[in-house]
Amino acid sequence: MPVEIVKDKWPGSVRQVTLGATAAEGGTRSHTVTVGGEASLPFMHFEAPMPNRPRVAIEIKDRRPDDWSPLLLEVWGAAADNPAEWAKAAEQAGADLIVLALSLTKADGSPTQAADAAASVKAVLGATGLPLIVFGPGQAEADNELLVAVAEAAKGERIALGICEDKNYRTIVATAMANGHLVTARTPMDVNLAKQLNILISDMGLPLDRILMDPTTGALGYGIEYGFSVMERLRLAALQGDNMTQLPMLVTPGFEAWKTKESKVGEGVPADWGNWLQRAINWEVMTAVTLLESGADIVVLRHPESVARVKAVIDGLMQPA
Amino acid sequence: MALSGIQIYKLLPQTNCKECGFPTCLAFAMKLAAKQVELASCPYVSEASKAQLAESSAPPIRLVSLKADGREVKAGNEVVLFRHEKTFYNKPGVFVKLADSLSEAELQAALKAVEAFHVNYVGIDLSLDGFAVENVSGDGARFAAAVKTVRAHSKRPLILLAGEAGLAAALPLLAGETPLVGPATDGNWQALAALAKEHKAALLVQGESLDALAELSEKIKGAGLEDLVLQPVAATLAGKLALNTHIRRLALKKNFRPLGFPTLAVAGSAEEAVQAVTKYAGFIILERFAPELAYPLLVLRENIYTDPQKPIQVQPGVYEINNPKPTDPVLVTTNFSITYFSVANEVESSGLPAWLVVVDAEGMSVLTAWAAGKFDAERIAKSFRTFNMADKVSHKRLVLPGHVAVLSGELEAELPDWEIRVGPREAVDLPKFMKQAL
Amino acid sequence: MAHTFTVTFDGFPEPVRVPSGSLLSDAVRLAGIELQQPCGGQGRCGRCAVLVQSGAVRRRSSLRLSAEDVAAGYALACQTVIEGDLQVHVPPQEKIERRLTTDRTAVEVSPPADYDPATVQPLRRYTLTLSPPSMDDQTDDWARLQTALRQQAGLSEVKVSLPVLRRIGQALRDGDWTVTVTLDMKTWDCPGCPAALIDIQPGVIPAGDPLWGVAIDIGTTTVTLWLVDLITGKVQAQASEYNQQINRGEDVISRIIYASKSPENGEEMQRLVLDTIHDVLKRACGRVGIQPEQVMKAVIAGNSTMMHLLLGIPAASIRLSPFVTAVNHVPTLSASEVGLGIHPNATVDCLPGVASYVGADITAGVYASGMETAQGITLFLDVGTNGETVLGTRDWLVTCACSAGPAFEGAGVRYGMRATRGAIEEVWINAETAEPTYRVIGGVKPSGICGSGLISLLAEMFMTGVIDKAGHYNTHLNTPRIREGEHGLEYVVAWADETYCGRDIAITHVDVDNLLRAKAAIYAGFTVMSESVGVPLDAVEQVLIGGSFGKYINVEKAVQIGLLPDMPWERFQFLGNTSVKGAYFALLDQRARQRIHEIAARMTYIELSADNSFYDAFMSAMFLPHTDYRRFPTIAAALEETTKNLSRPGS
Ligand code: SF4
Ligand code: FES
């Protein structure tokens, strides 16, 4: 019985965004990474081929973090003491991209200075040929100060600067424009807010193909359903032709999953939670896969085993059988 | 095509007699359009209208229910492709696979582990739904013995993965239940359909392509069986995703009856199980049981199947922002997620430590909740008591949102040993207030 | 060497010479003539229009000029290139201003052309002459009066109340057995009941003499009363006053809470509103020289909370889920029961409401607006605190309320005020310099900003980039007007030395946020409503705007901020206070009263808090003009135009 399948025809598609610049393009990356370009819902290869596979980024810090799960610190070992080493290890672990998250303070508790941030970025750029994404510590003043220094230090490398939020985007966008970088735009789990921030940023003159959006997602068990639906809605809007949602989505399941109690705590929890390490990795992987199914273009992870598993999932999702 | 409220209204008597329980025919029509009421509630619909409306209200995906000992695992009746469009209704049942090649002892151990497994997630007791016993041995008697062992240790609904011989031996053991049996394929469907029909079982229909599945389901329907479950088979995740999507779309968008059934997915890994939950599986068979997989999987299922139409709430409780110490200020707000996020974000990005007490205001913002009587002195005081705030801080000073400054007097009476400070109306002004006034 | 042209200005002897390609505004400046350019020459405000009497010009843009204006030779000086020798007239600036503000007029009310009190007015007056009693005829006074009513007025059955009974004897004798009686023939809740005798006066009252009734709108903020002569149907006096309940809370919720605290509080609220009504009643009666007791009927409209508080009915359930009123269709009452100081026997007719937050003010408004008979889809908006909206045609009506808050009424905004003398009612901002120009009601020094001024200010700040689309101030602009004030970032509209209060008048980021919320709530209300019935907004053929504020909105600005939908301006109509107007019609005509009853019964109320769709629509509207910019195509185009004209980088 021949069945005629239903194919959606979409007027719109997601923009392609390229991270990194090679020597030929004025940078020092060994290659660039392009994401986006989807003209159908995630992995509906029978409607439109996906020009770019979703990518896995590994998040590293500029110094050994104080608040990460011991499971993560254990697996990264000494590399966590040095951003350059950590970046190398991440590349080894299969990262397509490096996310360098700057700390608010140095190990001695004094505030991270612009020069420190610039130095960390330079070190990471020197250690790996992968394109780079840099997140500020997440406080407006510090973000603005450190990211301007970072943008200047990495001029020409086409890195992505984060995080732009609706109350703090002008400085970061301006420095991204001046130094040829990209930005990531983060909004709290709301379709409208995501779109609004994209409009605000593009109103400043930054081309849309230099913006990644991070709709924030929540972890499995901690609101992931909102993130899941917000991403589906954003992707649907993009395909329906809404210009201001046609941006690739960067999400941080690593950050989200590893702050849950299930991942952080190994003792004094119910036995039915199972093996701690495997549970924590499952939590990260399953959060990431859920987000891939709803349209993530870049997933930022923390544990190398998760990276391997998520990459295998992407392989499977990119093979239309 | 679904009809809009106005279109349905035009088919109703328009007398506003209120007998349906709604104040006007239009109110009823809108509920009907949202599929929240039954047409039968209006005693006055004309036959012609009934015919027109019935078309748009019949469920495009058949509801299939597996039953045993009063337990029921349902699939089907879904009406949307994306949960935000309305909601996903029937959580996919998760069944653990057991091979009849296992020894009696192994079987018992596996059964006990699953039976004992249950976790608490935000007050919901989560456990697995049943077992899928597979006739790996190829031997009917052995299969029947295995099913017998399972029934001896578990009352949960079952899926029997076996051919004619196995089913013929095992089904008589499950009288009064509705198991799912199969898979029926091109080669064996007649025999299996007959067995399923005889024992009132639902039948699993397997096929590698949509064409094959549709053809087979039509044949089986022709043999008088209604309760079917489709098992599309594909080699890769992308292939499985495509088949499940096609089936859901054809049912919903084309009302294509041959594929208007729930589907079953076999998951060998956490990753495959995630796809099954998010993308349309009606039943899931887990190849292996492990608590560290079952727990997150059941949580994911709860998450994806929550009703997105409910206001977005956060858990009431005490949120610690920037590692507060007992000397740091206590702020109060409601559990509407956006309210919570705007307060938490402002404070978090200011770097100032604080205790944020999130009161259960039924997911409403400060002003709305106050207006509706869900955020009053009594509720705030109750939260402070249940969360033991007095023990967490060394001072006793709390900051009330400026919008509900009127509550301060009553709150003083409810929490006599606390000093009530009225904060700013808007979250953006909080950091400044905290720096200057506290 | 470029060509030069000569431009001669009417009334100025010296012509000026300008190089080709110059703008008319350059020539005006060169001639030393004063010309307002509030928008900074961006072609947005239309204030720089001049009349080109002869010569060749090229108009880059004629926005805001009608086709007739252009045909007559008007051109925007800042947008018009000189292409030949010209003769130009610069009109006096004030005149243009008026021309541009014609959209602010409200429709005035007059009685229906075919008003015939003898058929549609339930209140009737009859002069009766009775045969006096005698020893032979010892029939009692009341029976005697009944006989006269039957024989001379054709009324076989008439109800009477004790107070009237007490007066009959005296009136008959004072009038020497000739009396004039006033009857209420029919009430909506008992159409078959006998007529009620309301008043009896000795002697003859000429048929043409006025018969008085009042229509009252009890607003949360303002109480309005129209004193009507029911014989001619004309409104003879109007009066309004702040609702004295304001002292017990500005919004309905606060008042419900206050009134519910104790029986005394409830009584106090009832007294406060009665006091307010008596104030306006006295004033209106004073104007025509009558006593309030001469008023024989009152029809009252108002939101459900106001109605409950007036009648002393507990209102607590209104604000608590599932939000039900005690009563939507109030039965006919008498003035003495209500405590209303008109004729004690007068009928008091409270118009019906639909739900807790859609009251009689809206059902009356729907009737007055005429939407319930419209064939095409109509949107009726009450731009007030409760933001009630009605969508429908003569076949169906849906309604919702979306607490918009009082920002547009000037409350909840730091320098907000009512639209009275001293209020800034219009603002223009120069896009290059971020400098404002404003107009003040009464032409005096400003003391604050009223609702229309706030809308205009918000629109201008947005169109010129002073705030971004999310309403955040652009601190990267080089202007002293954007500054960190006591309450955070703000924009100074008027410096202290220009103001009446001697302080800087500024709009803070919190104000902006409140305005955004108010406009977003109203817009979200009607988008959700249109979605829930499945009627797209562009299918709306007319938008009727009621509420006392509805008189003053500038459509263009209201569309720019996304308060009103982007559609051709001629679809908007301002109706003023439709609530009192509806009460007035009900007072005149029993058929109107019946229609309002039917409207209330068939309006379908949509509870916006029932699911997430309102929240979603609200978040989408919390942006300028809207997150879905495709809903506002003309604003998007205008913005593009403005940014193109601007040399400012990165704004
Ligand atoms: S019962 Fe039928 S006719 Fe009566 S109000 Fe409901 S829908 Fe209308
Ligand atoms: S339109 Fe010319 S100055 Fe405004």
Side-chain angles (χ1 to χ4, degrees), chain B residues 4-6 9 16 23-24 26-27 30 308-312 336 338 370-374 410 426 428-429 432, chain C residues 253-254 257 261 319-320 395-396 398 485-486 488 509-510 513-514 517 532-533 601-604 606 611-612 615:
Chain B
S4 73
I6 291 293
Y9 170 70
N16 302 331
T24 63
L26 183 52
M30 290 192 302
Q309 305 302 324
K310 294 249 173 71
I312 306 177
F336 178 46
I338 299 299
W370 168 72
K374 307 290 184 199
E410 285 162 47
E426 306 297 331
V428 278
D429 297 328
K432 201 165 150 198
Chain C
I253 302 293
S254 314
I257 293 175
K261 278 218 178 101
R319 76 170 182 122
L320 301 175
D395 298 323
W396 53 269
V398 289
E486 203 185 318
H509 72 117
V510 177
D513 222 55
N514 280 336
R517 262 182 239 278
S532 53
V533 290
R602 75 189 176 93
M603 257 211 248
T604 299
I606 298 176
D611 61 30
N612 270 344
Y615 175 71

Side-chain angles (χ1 to χ4, degrees), chain C residues 180-357:
Chain C
T180 305
V181 294
T182 306
L183 294 129
D184 201 340
M185 307 297 288
K186 204 181 195 179
T187 58
W188 70 271
D189 50 343
C190 189
C193 285
L197 180 58
I198 288 180
D199 186 46
I200 179 163
Q201 295 291 338
V204 180
I205 296 178
D209 270 18
L211 172 59
W212 297 106
V214 286
I216 304 173
D217 166 43
I218 306 176
T220 313
T221 312
T222 310
V223 173
T224 302
L225 178 141
W226 288 3
L227 180 60
V228 184
D229 173 7
L230 303 177
I231 303 295
T232 60
K234 284 206 181 101
V235 178
Q236 299 294 8
Q238 298 188 10
S240 17
E241 191 51 73
Y242 273 130
N243 186 335
Q244 289 175 30
Q245 290 177 341
I246 284 182
N247 301 327
R248 297 285 171 261
E250 288 196 344
D251 53 281
V252 294
I253 302 293
S254 314
R255 294 195 205 163
I256 295 173
I257 293 175
Y258 182 83
S260 317
K261 278 218 178 101
S262 70
E264 294 75 41
N265 282 12
E267 283 160 25
E268 180 190 352
M269 294 302 261
Q270 191 178 9
R271 199 182 61 238
L272 287 173
V273 69
L274 281 169
D275 286 351
T276 313
I277 296 176
H278 292 151
D279 260 14
V280 285
L281 180 67
K282 236 182 259 152
R283 220 184 307 148
C285 289
R287 283 195 198 135
V288 296
I290 61 162
Q291 292 304 312
E293 289 70 31
Q294 287 172 258
V295 175
M296 300 289 164
K297 178 151 188 177
V299 175
I300 303 181
N303 65 52
S304 304
T305 303
M306 291 303 114
M307 214 59 107
H308 281 62
L309 294 181
L310 168 73
L311 301 176
I313 300 173
S317 64
I318 288 183
R319 76 170 182 122
L320 301 175
S321 174
F323 316 111
V324 287
T325 59
V327 56
N328 283 337
H329 294 260
V330 179
T332 308
L333 304 167
S334 78
S336 56
E337 283 177 280
V338 178
L340 192 62
I342 55 175
H343 192 292
N345 294 326
T347 309
V348 174
D349 183 4
C350 298
L351 294 178
V354 179
S356 275
Y357 293 110

